[in-house]
Amino acid sequence: MKTAVRYFSRSGNTKAVAEAIAQAAGVDAISVDAQDAAITEPVDLLFIGGALYKYGIDDHMKAYLETLDKDMIGKVAVFSTSWFSKHAIDLIKNGVKEKGIVAVSDFLYVRGKPNDAQKKNAAEFAKKLMG
């Protein structure tokens, strides 16, 4: 299964979770504002994560979601970190669905700064969805 991991993180919390997922998937975690973030080859599963900032997702994430091509992505799995709300998951899923891409029902939410057990759960989340 061809997999990719994309994220946006201001504090480093979402990045830490993205890296745990990426390690389990055997790929690199790439920030959505990096030059090489575009999905240029078809992937079966895209893990994408972000957090809630001022009651919405960051503009970098919004812009990245607009670039997604449904013909290049089989399905998406969403993850998020936050100190107070899972709402970023819904916002990212809605952005993906607006592009005509299927978002799996499973998601991963980590409250606060991820600890080792939460990073292990992130890796298990990835392995489960990759089959």
Side-chain angles (χ1 to χ4, degrees), residues 10-85:
R10 290 185 188 175
S11 66
N13 294 339
T14 304
K15 179 180 181 182
V17 173
E19 288 174 343
I21 291 170
Q23 184 176 8
V27 298
D28 293 327
I30 300 174
S31 179
V32 299
D33 59 346
Q35 285 186 339
D36 57 347
I39 303 296
T40 57
E41 296 180 16
V43 296
D44 300 304
L45 178 60
L46 171 63
F47 290 94
I48 190 162
L52 203 60
Y53 305 104
K54 297 182 184 179
Y55 307 105
I57 53 177
D58 187 90
D59 288 342
H60 291 93
M61 179 60 75
K62 289 178 190 174
Y64 185 75
L65 293 174
E66 286 297 316
T67 71
L68 296 180
D69 180 349
K70 69 178 180 169
D71 295 327
M72 298 293 276
I73 301 166
K75 58 187 173 182
V76 168
V78 178
F79 62 97
S80 179
T81 62
S82 172
W83 288 98
F84 56 88
S85 173

Side-chain angles (χ1 to χ4, degrees), residues 7 11-12 17 28-29 38 40 42 44 61 70 73 77-78 81 83 87 94 98 104 106-107 110 112 115 124 129-130:
Y7 69 92
S11 66
V17 173
D28 293 327
T40 57
D44 300 304
M61 179 60 75
K70 69 178 180 169
I73 301 166
V78 178
T81 62
W83 288 98
H87 188 55
N94 289 341
E98 286 176 8
V104 300
D106 287 352
F107 63 86
V110 175
N115 60 35
E124 291 170 1
L129 291 178
M130 292 185 307

